[in-house]
Amino acid sequence: MSSFPVSAESQLAQRMAELGVNEAEIEETFVRSGGHGGQNVNKSSTCVMLHHRPTGMQVKCQTTRQQGLNRFIARRLLLDKIERLKRGFVERERMEKEKIRRQKRKRSRRAKDRMLADKAHHAAKKGNRRPASFD
């Protein structure tokens, strides 16, 4: 990662350490970009493709005509994706546990009485809906 600015390199390294991503887990390939750019696009491989082996995520970046800057942006995008994945799983697990905890907790006597009163009230309302009989 020596082609990045020093502060950007340290930020990326710090973020990779926080997420538990090693540089060895990332497979980096360079491809020729497409689109505008003329002969430069056809000659140099400025498009960067990153593949994170453990998660199977892939990122492709060709926003600029500079390979070094595309490498930095691609790494940042990959880390964003990995972070969303990890945060999503953590949040989902926490919500599942909280739901189970709420379902298992015991109701207080007052809440139980209120629930039974509501049920009785609802049953009375439904009882009044019976069709009228013509005798």
Side-chain angles (χ1 to χ4, degrees):
M1 287 199 285
S2 61
S3 62
F4 306 138
V6 177
S7 63
E9 186 175 349
S10 63
Q11 286 175 353
L12 269 181
Q14 179 184 1
R15 194 153 171 230
M16 286 173 74
E18 287 172 5
L19 292 172
V21 177
N22 295 329
E23 189 65 37
E25 297 172 343
I26 298 174
E27 184 180 321
E28 185 175 47
T29 54
F30 303 102
V31 186
R32 290 199 178 122
S33 298
H36 302 294
Q39 290 179 339
N40 182 55
V41 170
N42 299 329
K43 287 189 230 170
S44 60
S45 300
T46 56
C47 179
V48 179
M49 288 179 55
L50 297 180
H51 178 248
H52 186 240
R53 287 187 215 105
T55 58
M57 290 194 176
Q58 286 187 327
V59 171
K60 185 176 180 180
C61 180
Q62 60 180 8
T63 52
T64 68
R65 290 172 62 176
Q66 300 169 353
Q67 191 182 67
L69 191 56
N70 281 338
R71 287 180 69 211
F72 173 74
I73 295 170
R75 276 182 171 65
R76 214 172 55 195
L77 290 172
L78 182 68
L79 291 176
D80 288 344
K81 268 186 152 182
I82 292 171
E83 187 174 16
R84 266 181 284 169
L85 175 76
K86 288 189 177 184
R87 284 233 170 108
F89 279 142
V90 168
E91 186 66 23
R92 198 172 306 130
E93 284 177 5
R94 190 186 64 75
M95 287 175 64
E96 291 276 342
K97 286 179 185 176
E98 183 66 22
K99 182 179 177 184
I100 290 169
R101 190 185 69 76
R102 279 196 312 268
Q103 288 173 346
K104 286 185 174 184
R105 85 170 170 230
K106 242 183 154 178
R107 286 198 179 100
S108 67
R109 179 180 294 271
R110 194 169 163 196
K112 214 182 279 186
D113 291 342
R114 193 174 337 138
M115 181 196 64
L116 290 174
D118 286 344
K119 278 187 172 183
H121 178 68
H122 191 66
K125 279 197 308 189
K126 287 185 95 172
N128 291 335
R129 290 187 202 152
R130 290 198 182 110
S133 59
F134 299 104
D135 292 326

